[in-house]
Amino acid sequence: MENVKVLVVEDESSIRKFININLERSGFEVIEAESGEDGLKKLMECSPEVVVLDIMLPGIDGFEVCRRIREEKSDAVVIMLTAKGQDMDKIVGLELGADDYMVKPFNPLELVARIRANLRRISKPSEEDKNIIATGKIKLDISAQKFYKDGNDIELTPREFAIVKVFMESQGKAFSRDELLNHIWGRNYFGDIKTVDVHIRRLREKIEDDPSDPKLIETVWGFGYRWRKAE
C-alpha cells in the first residue's frame, strides 16, 4: 500500500501530530488539516485515499465534512474519530457515509490496521472478477463498480457496493449480521454489530422504491438480511 495518501482532519495539534507520526512510520503519506474547511480544501487539492476525520471540529464539524465528501462523490475511505461513549455519533457518522469509526483514546496501531483493512476491502477487483450480475431491473457492474436500477446509475459508497455484491452473488440466501460483518468488514473488525443495520438502512434509502417496505433487501427477523431472489 505504498503512496497511499491519508488526510488527517483534527483540530488538536498534539493528537494530529501523534497520528501523523504513526501513519508515516507505517508508510503512508499524511496530509494534515486543522479544521473542517481546511480539510475540504485539501480533499479537493490532494484526492486522498483515506480521511481520518474528527467529529468535534471548529466551524464545519466532522459530520458536515463527511456529508460533503460523499456529496462530492469521493470514494475515499472515511474513518471518524468519536468521543468515548458517544454511540449516537457513531450512528450518525455511518448514516452520512463513514466507513468506520474509532473511539478516543485509541491505539495508533489499531488505526493503521483499520486503514489497511478498509483499503483491502475496497480494492479494485481482479480481472477474473470482472463481470455483471443482473436480476430484474437491477444490474451490478463489478468491473466498473457501478450499480444500476431501471437503467439509472445510483451512487453507492464502496462499502454499500460490497454489501450489494455479497447479496446479489447469493440471491435468496439469508446472511446473519455476523456473516455480513465477516464478509464486508473482515473477521478482524473491532466495531459494533449495529454497523450492519445502519448500512442496510442507508442502502435501502438509495435503492428501494419504498424504504419502509423493502422489496430488494429483506429482513429475516431474529437473524439478518437477504436479497430477494427474482421470481
Side-chain angles (χ1 to χ4, degrees):
M1 295 185 181
E2 297 180 356
N3 302 317
V4 171
K5 289 181 283 189
V6 181
L7 172 61
V8 178
V9 188
E10 166 63 65
D11 63 311
E12 294 189 41
S13 60
S14 59
I15 296 177
R16 193 172 63 248
K17 296 296 183 185
F18 178 64
I19 294 172
N20 186 335
I21 290 169
N22 284 279
L23 291 182
E24 287 187 340
R25 283 176 178 171
S26 298
F28 295 103
E29 177 184 342
V30 181
I31 305 138
E32 295 185 35
E34 59 185 21
S35 68
E37 291 86 349
D38 189 26
L40 289 170
K41 179 174 179 289
K42 288 179 177 175
L43 178 82
M44 297 298 103
E45 292 175 349
C46 306
S47 300
E49 287 82 4
V50 180
V51 180
V52 177
L53 177 61
D54 188 29
I55 290 177
M56 300 299 292
L57 294 170
I60 299 175
D61 65 17
F63 292 135
E64 179 63 14
V65 173
C66 183
R67 187 189 67 78
R68 293 195 192 182
I69 289 173
R70 294 310 180 214
E71 194 175 63
E72 293 295 329
K73 299 185 178 179
S74 168
D75 59 0
V77 169
V78 177
I79 299 177
M80 300 198 81
L81 306 181
T82 71
K84 185 176 182 180
Q86 298 299 313
D87 288 341
M88 186 53 65
D89 285 351
K90 303 172 191 175
I91 293 171
V92 172
L94 292 168
E95 290 277 12
L96 291 171
D99 297 286
D100 206 347
Y101 62 84
M102 293 197 66
V103 178
K104 295 180 180 179
F106 55 83
N107 186 322
L109 296 179
E110 182 182 343
L111 176 60
V112 170
R114 289 198 183 207
I115 289 173
R116 287 176 171 159
N118 276 282
L119 289 171
R120 282 195 299 270
R121 284 191 286 274
I122 66 169
S123 61
K124 293 182 179 179
S126 59
E127 289 297 322
E128 60 268 21
D129 289 333
K130 291 185 176 182
N131 53 38
I132 291 175
I133 305 173
T135 176
K137 56 187 177 181
I138 302 298
K139 183 174 78 170
L140 195 70
D141 187 335
I142 297 173
S143 61
Q145 296 282 286
K146 292 284 189 179
F147 178 90
Y148 300 92
K149 180 180 177 181
D150 291 324
N152 298 313
D153 182 1
I154 297 178
E155 192 73 27
L156 302 182
T157 67
R159 188 85 70 190
E160 290 165 351
F161 187 91
I163 292 171
V164 173
K165 181 174 179 287
V166 166
F167 279 139
M168 291 190 68
E169 287 179 335
S170 302
Q171 296 175 43
K173 171 181 167 57
F175 289 90
S176 69
R177 290 169 177 81
D178 284 332
E179 287 176 318
L180 289 170
L181 276 176
N182 290 337
H183 277 294
I184 310 301
W185 282 263
R187 294 184 179 276
N188 59 345
Y189 179 68
F190 306 100
D192 195 321
I193 196 170
K194 289 185 292 186
T195 296
V196 174
D197 299 320
V198 171
H199 277 76
I200 293 294
R201 182 165 64 253
R202 193 174 66 212
L203 188 52
R204 281 172 168 167
E205 289 173 355
K206 291 184 177 183
I207 70 175
E208 296 280 2
D209 292 333
D210 180 2
S212 65
D213 184 23
K215 302 299 183 185
L216 297 173
I217 301 175
E218 299 178 313
T219 297
V220 182
W221 296 107
F223 185 74
Y225 301 95
R226 67 168 167 249
W227 187 275
R228 177 178 290 181
K229 192 171 184 178
E231 297 178 355

